Each structure stands twice: as structure tokens, then as C-alpha cells.
């Protein structure tokens, strides 16, 4: 939760109607909602949380989940930790959650997230022009998606270790 209070982190988000943060109740609701895959990740097993990966609405309607990632602590774990957390969370969404696809939107100037998404294997699916407010100015959101078949080809789809419940809970 504290990560979302950091303007360097929350500037990239929009949780509806321009909200940049989620309170503890909203985060717990996301974690407890069985339609979502919610993972807190750390640099070391049992270590302090450094980020959060969520695939929302995996079990709803056409089973098209929406991914969002928060990396709250950059001083631990290196860049690969976020990559592995995203891949494993998507594995849970596709294997255990039955997702047919996962999408993500990213503000056009968020180059680290764009690079991460491409490395995971997302393909650019479109652009929402002027859809994001960043530092008081409008910018585009790039939309990426990945089908279950594409994930399987790139990362395999063996059953994921763990459930779709939070792997660990923290005061993050």
C-alpha cells in the first residue's frame, strides 16, 4: 500500500476516475476476489516484499485478464525479479485461472515497463490516444496483450506452483 503513495510509482497508474492509489481495503478486496491472481514478490524467499503483480478478472466473462505491476523497492533483487514475478503470475492466470488472454496498458513514456512487457512476450495491440494524465499533461497508453497459446510457446504452461491466493501477505 505504501508503494502506491510514492509519486514515482503511482504516476503510472489509474485505478478509475484518475485515482492513483488504492487503500488497504481495496487491496485486500483485490487479493480476496477469486477472479484475480494476486502475488506479492520479494528478492529472497521470506524476505521483505519488493513488488506486487495482479491479473484482474481472470475468471470473468471471456477470461481476459488485465495485468498490472508495482515495483515498490528498486534497491533489492535486480531487474530479473520483476520479470520472473510477472511470468509466474501469468502462469497462475493461464494454468490455474483458465485465462484465455492477458492484457496490459502502459503510459507511452514508461520505457522500463514497455521493455519488461516485450521481454515477457506481450505484443502491442493498440494505442489509446491521450488516455493517461502524467504530470498534468495527456499522453497515450500503449495496449499490449498475450494469448495463452503465445505464453505456452514462450514459457511453457506446466501447472504453476501455488494457488491463485496471495503467496504472502504484508503491509506493503
Amino acid at each position: 500500500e505504501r508503494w502506491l503513495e510514492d509519486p514515482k510509482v503511482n504516476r503510472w497508474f489509474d485505478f478509475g476516475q484518475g485515482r492513483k492509489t488504492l487503500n488497504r481495503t481495496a487491496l485486500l478486496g483485490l487479493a480476496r476476489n477469486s477472479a484475480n491472481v494476486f502475488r506479492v514478490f520479494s528478492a529472497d524467499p521470506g524476505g521483505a516484499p519488493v513488488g506486487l503483480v495482479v491479473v484482474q478478472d481472470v475468471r470473468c466473462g471471456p477470461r481476459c485478464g488485465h495485468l498490472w505491476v508495482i515495483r515498490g523497492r528498486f534497491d533489492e533483487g535486480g531487474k530479473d525479479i520483476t520479470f520472473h514475478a510477472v511470468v509466474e503470475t501469468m502462469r497462475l492466470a493461464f494454468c490455474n485461472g483458465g485465462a484465455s488472454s492477458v492484457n496490459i496498458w502502459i503510459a507511452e513514456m514508461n520505457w522500463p515497463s514497455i521493455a519488461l512487457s516485450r521481454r515477457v512476450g506481450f505484443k502491442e495491440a493498440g494505442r489509446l490516444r491521450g488516455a493517461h494524465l502524467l504530470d498534468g499533461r495527456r499522453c497515450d497508453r500503449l495496449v499490449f496483450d498475450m494469448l495463452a497459446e503465445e505464453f505456452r510457446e514462450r514459457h511453457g504452461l506446466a501447472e504453476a506452483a501455488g494457488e491463485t491466493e496471495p503467496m504472502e501477505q504484508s503491509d506493503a
Side-chain angles (χ1 to χ4, degrees):
E1 176 183 349
R2 287 181 296 256
W3 299 325
L4 287 171
E5 295 170 6
D6 183 347
K8 292 178 288 194
V9 174
N10 72 21
R11 68 193 300 243
W12 305 112
F13 289 96
D14 183 345
F15 293 105
Q17 300 178 359
R19 283 181 315 168
K20 299 288 185 185
T21 63
L22 290 177
N23 62 31
R24 177 179 300 269
T25 303
L27 282 172
L28 288 173
L30 281 169
R32 292 181 178 145
N33 185 334
S34 65
N36 302 327
V37 178
F38 184 100
R39 264 184 99 145
V40 173
F41 62 98
S42 59
D44 299 307
V50 297
L52 170 67
V53 182
V54 178
V55 182
Q56 285 184 262
D57 300 329
V58 170
R59 294 183 186 89
C60 298
R63 297 186 174 274
C64 299
H66 176 73
L67 174 75
W68 52 277
V69 181
I70 299 172
R71 177 72 189 262
R73 295 188 56 195
F74 293 93
D75 57 333
E76 294 185 34
K79 67 178 183 176
D80 284 345
I81 188 170
T82 306
F83 169 80
H84 292 296
V86 168
V87 168
E88 289 309 307
T89 304
M90 289 181 59
R91 188 179 316 281
L92 286 168
F94 286 126
C95 290
N96 301 15
S100 59
S101 69
V102 172
N103 67 71
I104 185 171
W105 63 257
I106 304 168
E108 67 182 326
M109 289 159 300
N110 189 343
W111 296 111
S113 292
I114 292 169
L116 172 65
S117 295
R118 289 184 173 141
R119 183 174 173 214
V120 168
F122 280 92
K123 295 181 180 172
E124 193 166 337
R127 177 181 292 262
L128 302 172
R129 298 183 304 158
H132 195 74
L133 193 59
L134 186 64
D135 300 330
R137 292 192 293 204
R138 295 244 164 239
C139 68
D140 295 352
R141 289 180 180 169
L142 303 179
V143 179
F144 295 83
D145 65 7
M146 180 181 277
L147 300 173
E149 299 80 38
E150 294 166 338
F151 185 87
R152 183 182 305 110
E153 290 169 9
R154 190 172 188 109
H155 302 286
L157 256 185
E159 283 299 309
E163 299 296 321
T164 57
E165 300 295 321
M167 288 182 46
E168 51 185 284
Q169 292 185 342
S170 71
D171 293 332

